[in-house]
Amino acid sequence: MSLKSFDKFCERIILNEPESQKEIFDERQKIMQNKLATEALFIYVVASMLCCMSVEFIYKWTESCCFTLLALGAVCAVYYQIRCSAKGCLIGVNGLTAKKYSGWTMIIGGTANMIRYAIGALGSDDGAFFVRDGMLTADFMVSLTFAAILIWGIIITVKMNRLWKMEAKG
C-alpha cells in the first residue's frame, strides 16, 4: 500500500464516522455566510426597531410585541437561507446527511405547530385567529413564525434534492 492510498484510506475512515457528519464549508462560503448573516441581522434590527416604535408610539396593531419579534426573526432567517442558497453557500462541501434531517425536521415541526396553534385559536371562546379587538392575535403571529420555519425546511430540502440530482448526473 502506497503512502497516497494510505492517506485516502485514513481520510475515508475519518470522514465516514457517524459523529463526524458535520458540514464543512470552504473559505469563500464562510466569508459569504458571515456577510449575509450580518445583512440579515441588520434587516432584523431595523425591522424590529420600526415594529416596536410603531406599536409603542403610533398604533398598537398586534397583541404581543414579543411574538411579532419572533415572527420577524423567522422571516429574516428565511431571507438569510434564500440569500445563501442564491450565493451557493447554503450547503457545504460535506455533511449532506445532517442537512437533510434538519430540513425534514423543520418541515414536520413547522407544519405540526402551525396547525396546532391555528386549531387552538379557532377553538377558543371568541374563535378569532387573525384579528381580535383590532389587533393581530398572538396565535396568528406564532403560526406565521412556524410557517416561516416550514418554508425554511422546504428551501433546504429542495436545495438538497437538486444537489443530489446534479451529483447523480455528473
Side-chain angles (χ1 to χ4, degrees):
M1 180 183 264
S2 71
L3 189 58
K4 191 172 188 176
S5 61
F6 180 71
D7 286 345
K8 286 288 185 187
F9 173 74
C10 290
E11 181 181 331
R12 225 176 311 122
I13 288 174
I14 291 170
L15 292 178
N16 285 335
E17 289 180 12
E19 57 269 356
S20 74
Q21 289 297 322
K22 297 178 189 171
E23 201 163 9
I24 300 170
F25 293 98
D26 63 6
E27 285 302 313
R28 182 200 62 83
Q29 288 177 321
K30 287 179 186 177
I31 291 168
M32 189 58 67
Q33 280 182 339
N34 288 337
K35 184 178 176 183
L36 295 174
T38 304
E39 177 183 315
L41 186 60
F42 178 74
I43 290 171
Y44 174 72
V45 167
V46 170
S48 62
M49 187 177 69
L50 291 174
C51 171
C52 289
M53 286 175 52
S54 71
V55 169
E56 290 292 324
F57 302 121
I58 299 171
Y59 177 71
K60 185 164 172 123
W61 54 275
T62 182
E63 285 181 344
S64 172
C65 196
C66 177
F67 289 129
T68 305
L69 293 178
L70 282 175
L72 276 173
V75 168
C76 285
V78 169
Y79 169 78
Y80 169 74
Q81 291 295 316
I82 291 170
R83 294 278 290 155
C84 282
S85 178
K87 295 288 186 178
C89 60
L90 177 64
I91 297 172
V93 180
N94 187 20
L96 293 177
T97 306
K99 197 69 127 176
K100 176 181 76 170
Y101 291 128
S102 67
W104 280 107
T105 302
M106 284 186 221
I107 290 172
I108 292 168
T111 303
N113 284 306
M114 191 171 55
I115 291 170
R116 183 184 77 158
Y117 277 98
I119 289 174
L122 294 175
S124 67
D125 294 337
D126 57 0
F129 175 65
F130 294 107
V131 178
R132 183 182 304 127
D133 297 329
M135 297 179 283
L136 292 176
T137 63
D139 290 327
F140 173 70
M141 297 310 282
V142 171
S143 295
L144 181 67
T145 302
F146 285 115
I149 291 171
L150 171 68
I151 291 169
W152 187 352
I154 290 171
I155 290 169
I156 290 173
T157 306
V158 166
K159 188 70 174 180
M160 294 282 300
N161 287 336
R162 284 185 181 172
L163 280 176
W164 280 329
K165 286 180 184 178
M166 288 174 64
E167 285 179 4
K169 286 181 182 178

